[in-house]
Amino acid sequence: MSKPVKIKATIMWSFHNKINKMAKKYTVDLCNLSDKAVKSLENDLGVTVNFKEDKKDKGKFIVCKSIKPINMVDEGGNSLSDISIGNGSKGVALVSFYDWDHQGQSGKSPTIVKMIVDDLVVYDAPVSVEDIEGEPL
């Protein structure tokens, strides 16, 4: 297997500590990747880097997936497994890949070996008392 690649990224849609219901796996989007990171991910690991015109705020990005919780820590090495990491958090990730084969298709998907979050934005879902008052539908 290839040596993992170390990249800087902006974190979006972090499901590092709970299953993403759509993907049925733990997932984290690593966004706004540098050209050097893109080249290394594509050439060294063989993974596809995405860019979508309708999601320019993500820049060039990858969606990392895992069947296990994703190892995210702060700069002191403290686990972030109990923290909801919000969009816009930043950090350095060690990225590897896994091969997959499903229903006649195959490919490589990126996965995070470990990530140090050095600029944490904590996600706090806005819920007000008014949201839960009254009769349920």
Side-chain angles (χ1 to χ4, degrees), residues 11-137:
I11 300 165
M12 296 185 85
W13 302 108
S14 180
F15 287 85
H16 68 288
N17 57 359
K18 63 183 176 183
I19 298 284
N20 177 331
K21 291 178 185 175
M22 289 178 59
K24 298 181 178 140
K25 292 183 177 167
Y26 297 90
T27 64
V28 175
D29 292 10
L30 298 181
C31 305
N32 298 314
L33 303 176
S34 69
D35 290 339
K36 188 174 179 181
V38 169
K39 183 177 177 181
S40 189
L41 288 165
E42 291 180 338
N43 295 342
D44 298 341
L45 298 184
V47 300
T48 301
V49 175
N50 304 297
F51 177 81
K52 296 185 179 178
E53 280 293 326
D54 62 334
K55 296 183 181 180
K56 287 184 179 178
D57 59 324
K58 292 177 94 170
K60 294 176 183 172
F61 70 96
I62 56 175
V63 179
C64 296
K65 299 177 183 180
S66 177
I67 59 172
K68 298 178 185 174
I70 296 172
N71 187 10
M72 308 273 271
V73 298
D74 65 16
E75 290 179 290
N78 302 302
S79 174
L80 297 175
S81 63
D82 293 335
I83 304 288
S84 294
I85 298 174
N87 290 351
S89 296
K90 292 182 169 93
V92 176
L94 197 55
V95 178
S96 187
F97 71 92
Y98 62 92
D99 293 306
W100 57 267
D101 190 352
H102 183 69
Q103 296 181 343
Q105 295 187 13
S106 62
K108 291 183 178 194
S109 288
T111 190
I112 297 171
V113 175
K114 183 175 185 175
M115 182 157 193
I116 298 172
V117 179
D118 54 24
D119 186 3
L120 176 64
V121 176
V122 176
Y123 175 74
D124 188 21
V127 178
S128 67
V129 173
E130 292 80 26
D131 291 336
I132 57 174
E133 286 183 339
E135 291 296 313
L137 302 175

